[in-house]
Amino acid sequence: VIGGGEGSGLSTGGDEANRVRRLSGFYQADRINGHWLITRQIPIDTQNVIRTQRVHVALAPGKESHIVDTLTVDVGSSHGFAVRLNTAARLSPVTLNGRPATFTQGGGLLWINIPTQKGARIALNYVIADEHEPRAKTDTTTVTDSAPAFGALNNTDAWLPFYGYDSGNAFADITVTATIPAEYRLTTTLPQSETVLDGVRTVHGRSVHPQFIVGLIYDRDWRVVSTNIGALRFESFLTPAFRFSHDTLATLIGRAYRLLTPRFGEPQRPSRYLAVVEHRALTGAGFTVRMNNAVISGDKAIILDEPTLGPSSTFAHEVSHGWTMNSTGAAANFLHEGWATFAESLILRDTYGAATERAFWEKLRSSYVGGVDRGGVARGFEGRQSILGDPDNGRIHYFKGSWLLHSLNLVLGDSVFDRAMREFISNQSRGSNGYREFIADMSHAAGHDMTGFIMPWLAEKYIPDVDARVDGTRLIVTQAQQAALFDLPLDVELVTATGTVRRAVHLTTRADTIDIASVGAVSEARVDPDHHFLLRRHWGEVVRFELRAPTATKVELLGSFTGKPAAATRVGDMWVVEMPLTEGRYLWQWRVDGKSATDEEALAAVKAGDADPGASVGVRTVRALQRLTDADAR
């Protein structure tokens, strides 16, 4: 057993166990040439399953949390039993079936010597000291004691034992009973009830489907409101200063459920509870995370959705997570984040129309292919990363993962795609529920094997590089990417002297040829004109960006299309950047003397339009006017 580093040394361990989870674990050593050498890592969840967790927590804000967790587990591994646990957890003796057990703790890992057996009962009793923000950031009340106004045991703190975020062997029946001084309100991020007696608030939370790790978040200033939205109980935990009201959030939740439930069934049946929580210890301007049955906002929620600059609907994204939260395995985050992003597109279309949905997919495409963040760090994925090659919550799942679902929906049609997703979602308690089960469910609904269509999108680092050319009366369509072949049912648009015509091509090989003698002379051939697939593009135009900034000394152009900031050239009072861009919709912004617009300034500027040469940010739509040699500008 090897433990990872201790991280920053914060009093609760912060998310140290989370950050070292790829290192800490079981390793096999073999004797080679007289030396013992580590030869492979063994997953800690191999043949070990957590069945139930009965958790009791006494929270003392500003001091410590006393936790008793009783687990029922099946141990099938000869290596004993190991779980991830907060690095700062101070354990009392561990018991196994009522007797003291041999255990070792370190580096975010707890190992217990347990022989193979089913239904083993482990009792863990431990204390985690509270980690809270400096006093200046906490209290908004008139209370004068030293206790913080808010705090949390986050799910990423590993305050409860678990294997990892992609394991199917830790989904358990969980009950949480937590006590806290009555002046605080508390969420367990699970369906819950509460009582107050003698100055102590006791909250009972229970999972209604298998889950793993939960969050405990508390705040002295929350006002808790509960209403029913059909069969769903919606509860909000918000301070009076929170920007959005309970009723506003309820309206948006109802809209999402009314759109998604008829197509995909209920989320994680029979879960009919959803909370929205203002988590003031988290910094951030929006709804940034989903914990079990709770959508979590940071300390400055300013946007629910935004149809102009992004577009985006971050609140709907987090609500939509409920449908696939129990996905597991190597591509779990494709099924988590790719799904929630796909659902976000459906809600944007329902709310703002088809044009906004198209802009959303163009944003995701340009972000996948290239671009930099505001710090100038490259963020493109093409040729660098695959979905299966990134088991963590990396951004590729949001972009390439969602595009795969978008394309599947188009290829299969709503009826078949919806039937497959309902089957996948309804089976999320079957243990393993990952990309293999997803492919099986898609194949079952389609009536034929969908492996050849889906797997290249998951396994390869490249997207299809498809092109078309005319040779006499033949249309030749090719795919030239440095990867496996894709299964692509495509449209090709042909420009003739009398207009445009389309031909369907089902490309499964490196090249395919179609007779187009009946079409007449063809001047141009464009693949996938409606942008149904995430493909390399070959047509576009040379785009000129201009900024009037006579006093600036250094100007750079950032965008969803540049691998690094592009230095502008000064021409009189103007700063100019010219570059070829393939057809699409791109966000751009100027960085002047090291400074760029804030999110609020960017949104206001885009709404005002980007024709003004003094604008600092904008959106540019590029047309397919000419064939470009370099299809992806850098």
Side-chain angles (χ1 to χ4, degrees):
V1 181
I2 294 180
E6 291 302 316
S8 63
L10 296 173
S11 60
T12 65
D15 67 344
E16 293 163 11
N18 174 39
R19 288 187 280 118
V20 301
R21 72 186 186 279
R22 295 297 175 192
L23 173 64
S24 298
F26 290 144
Y27 287 80
Q28 176 176 311
D30 294 315
R31 192 173 181 85
I32 301 174
N33 297 327
H35 300 279
W36 288 98
L37 300 176
I38 292 176
T39 55
R40 71 183 182 104
Q41 186 175 20
I42 305 169
I44 64 173
D45 61 341
T46 301
Q47 301 182 61
N48 293 343
V49 181
I50 300 174
R51 298 295 183 188
T52 66
Q53 291 194 63
R54 301 291 178 257
V55 186
H56 291 78
V57 185
L59 292 157
K63 298 177 182 177
E64 62 185 20
S65 299
H66 191 166
I67 302 157
V68 178
D69 188 5
T70 303
L71 301 90
T72 303
V73 303
D74 294 342
V75 180
S77 170
S78 61
H79 309 294
F81 179 79
V83 286
R84 317 245 170 242
L85 187 63
N86 190 289
T87 58
R90 305 196 307 274
L91 273 164
S92 298
V94 175
T95 64
L96 170 64
N97 299 326
R99 297 176 177 272
T102 301
F103 69 96
T104 297
Q105 179 190 13
L109 197 70
L110 169 64
W111 174 80
I112 308 172
N113 186 17
I114 304 179
T116 58
Q117 59 185 286
K118 289 188 175 182
R121 190 169 180 266
I122 303 169
L124 306 178
N125 190 324
Y126 54 100
V127 175
I128 300 178
D130 196 16
E131 172 192 323
H132 54 274
E133 296 293 331
R135 182 68 179 171
K137 191 185 174 182
T138 58
D139 222 37
T140 59
T141 70
T142 58
V143 177
T144 58
D145 60 50
S146 61
F150 51 83
L153 289 172
N154 295 311
N155 53 8
T156 54
D157 291 336
W159 69 275
L160 277 183
F162 77 113
Y163 294 134
Y165 301 107
D166 50 10
S167 173
N169 288 356
F171 284 96
D173 175 56
I174 300 177
T175 61
V176 178
T177 300
T179 61
I180 195 168
E183 61 264 30
Y184 289 93
R185 302 305 297 264
L186 170 70
T187 175
T188 63
T189 67
L190 297 172
Q192 67 181 52
S193 60
E194 65 173 39
T195 58
V196 177
L197 181 65
D198 296 331
V200 176
R201 187 180 306 275
T202 302
V203 180
H204 301 277
R206 179 164 189 168
S207 62
V208 290
H209 51 79
Q211 298 197 6
F212 70 105
I213 63 171
V214 298
L216 295 181
I217 309 169
Y218 54 87
D219 197 307
R220 195 151 48 191
D221 294 347
W222 280 342
R223 303 295 182 266
V224 181
V225 181
S226 180
T227 57
N228 291 326
I229 305 173
L232 177 75
R233 179 162 71 96
F234 165 51
E235 202 160 33
S236 64
F237 299 79
L238 311 172
T239 66
F242 193 72
R243 182 164 184 161
F244 305 105
S245 71
H246 175 92
D247 290 344
T248 296
L249 298 173
T251 298
L252 295 180
I253 292 168
R255 177 185 296 166
Y257 271 68
R258 284 191 296 273
L259 176 66
L260 299 178
T261 300
R263 290 191 60 176
F264 309 114
E266 288 188 50
Q268 297 184 320
R269 293 181 294 183
S271 177
R272 292 179 174 174
Y273 174 85
L274 183 66
V276 174
V277 180
E278 179 188 3
H279 189 344
R280 291 195 285 167
L282 291 182
T283 57
F287 296 86
T288 56
V289 69
R290 174 77 178 244
M291 297 184 190
N292 309 101
N293 295 77
V295 173
I296 310 297
S297 166
D299 61 347
K300 291 189 303 180
I302 60 173
I303 295 176
L304 290 169
D305 58 14
E306 190 285 296
T308 306
L309 178 61
S312 65
S313 185
T314 56
F315 182 69
H317 178 106
E318 300 303 333
V319 170
S320 302
H321 269 306
W323 274 261
T324 62
M325 282 191 71
N326 280 24
S327 303
T328 61
N333 278 305
F334 147 63
L335 298 163
H336 296 159
E337 301 298 351
W339 159 263
T341 305
F342 169 75
E344 187 180 353
S345 77
L346 301 180
I347 293 167
L348 282 168
R349 180 177 66 191
D350 183 68
T351 307
Y352 297 106
T356 296
E357 183 199 21
R358 287 193 297 271
F360 178 78
W361 288 112
E362 287 296 316
K363 176 195 73 171
L364 295 177
R365 180 196 181 275
S366 61
S367 294
Y368 168 82
V369 172
V372 295
D373 60 23
R374 294 199 171 196
V377 177
R379 64 184 184 184
F381 301 101
E382 179 64 358
R384 296 174 51 227
Q385 192 176 71
S386 69
I387 288 176
L388 283 174
D390 178 23
D392 292 321
N393 189 17
R395 291 177 298 109
I396 190 171
H397 305 283
Y398 297 79
F399 305 125
K400 194 177 186 182
S402 61
W403 259 99
L404 170 54
L405 291 165
H406 178 57
S407 299
L408 272 169
N409 193 176
L410 290 165
V411 168
L412 297 177
D414 285 357
S415 178
V416 173
F417 179 79
D418 293 359
R419 187 163 64 250
M421 287 305 305
R422 283 197 299 271
E423 185 173 353
F424 179 78
I425 291 163
S426 66
N427 285 328
Q428 288 201 73
S429 298
R430 59 186 164 189
S432 176
N433 202 49
Y435 74 92
R436 292 181 180 87
E437 289 76 17
F438 172 80
I439 292 173
D441 292 340
M442 283 288 162
S443 300
H444 181 250
H448 59 270
D449 189 3
M450 293 295 295
T451 303
F453 181 91
I454 296 172
M455 277 305 297
W457 295 102
L458 299 178
E460 301 299 335
K461 295 181 180 180
Y462 295 88
I463 60 175
D465 183 2
V466 183
D467 205 356
R469 63 183 178 88
V470 175
D471 183 6
T473 60
R474 299 184 305 157
L475 174 68
I476 301 173
V477 184
T478 61
Q479 52 177 314
Q481 66 279 353
Q482 301 177 47
L485 295 174
F486 286 75
D487 181 337
L488 299 167
L490 299 165
D491 285 336
V492 179
E493 185 175 78
L494 306 173
V495 179
T496 71
T498 58
T500 61
V501 295
R502 293 192 178 186
R503 289 292 182 265
V505 181
H506 193 166
L507 187 63
T508 58
T509 59
R510 283 290 175 192
D512 201 356
T513 302
I514 297 175
D515 185 354
I516 55 171
S518 62
V519 173
V522 175
S523 58
E524 298 173 5
R526 297 172 183 162
V527 176
D528 191 31
D530 295 324
H531 300 170
H532 287 163
F533 295 92
L534 180 61
L535 308 177
R536 296 281 295 272
R537 295 179 185 171
H538 296 273
W539 288 77
E541 59 180 304
V542 177
V543 181
R544 182 182 175 93
F545 296 91
E546 295 182 338
L547 174 70
R548 181 179 292 113
T551 62
T553 58
K554 182 181 180 181
V555 176
E556 298 168 296
L557 181 68
L558 307 177
S560 59
F561 47 84
T562 56
K564 59 182 179 180
T569 301
R570 185 163 191 158
V571 182
D573 287 346
M574 306 296 291
W575 294 84
V576 177
V577 172
E578 285 191 347
M579 63 175 61
L581 289 178
T582 56
E583 59 178 315
R585 179 184 184 271
Y586 301 95
L587 304 178
W588 59 265
Q589 66 173 315
W590 294 106
R591 186 161 66 189
V592 180
D593 294 332
K595 297 180 180 180
S596 54
T598 66
D599 289 341
E600 294 87 347
E601 292 168 341
L603 181 58
V606 171
K607 287 182 176 179
D610 63 355
D612 179 6
S616 61
V617 63
V619 175
R620 185 64 175 263
T621 300
V622 177
R623 299 163 295 170
L625 297 183
Q626 65 187 81
R627 186 175 179 83
L628 301 177
T629 302
D630 182 4
D632 292 316
R634 293 288 184 263

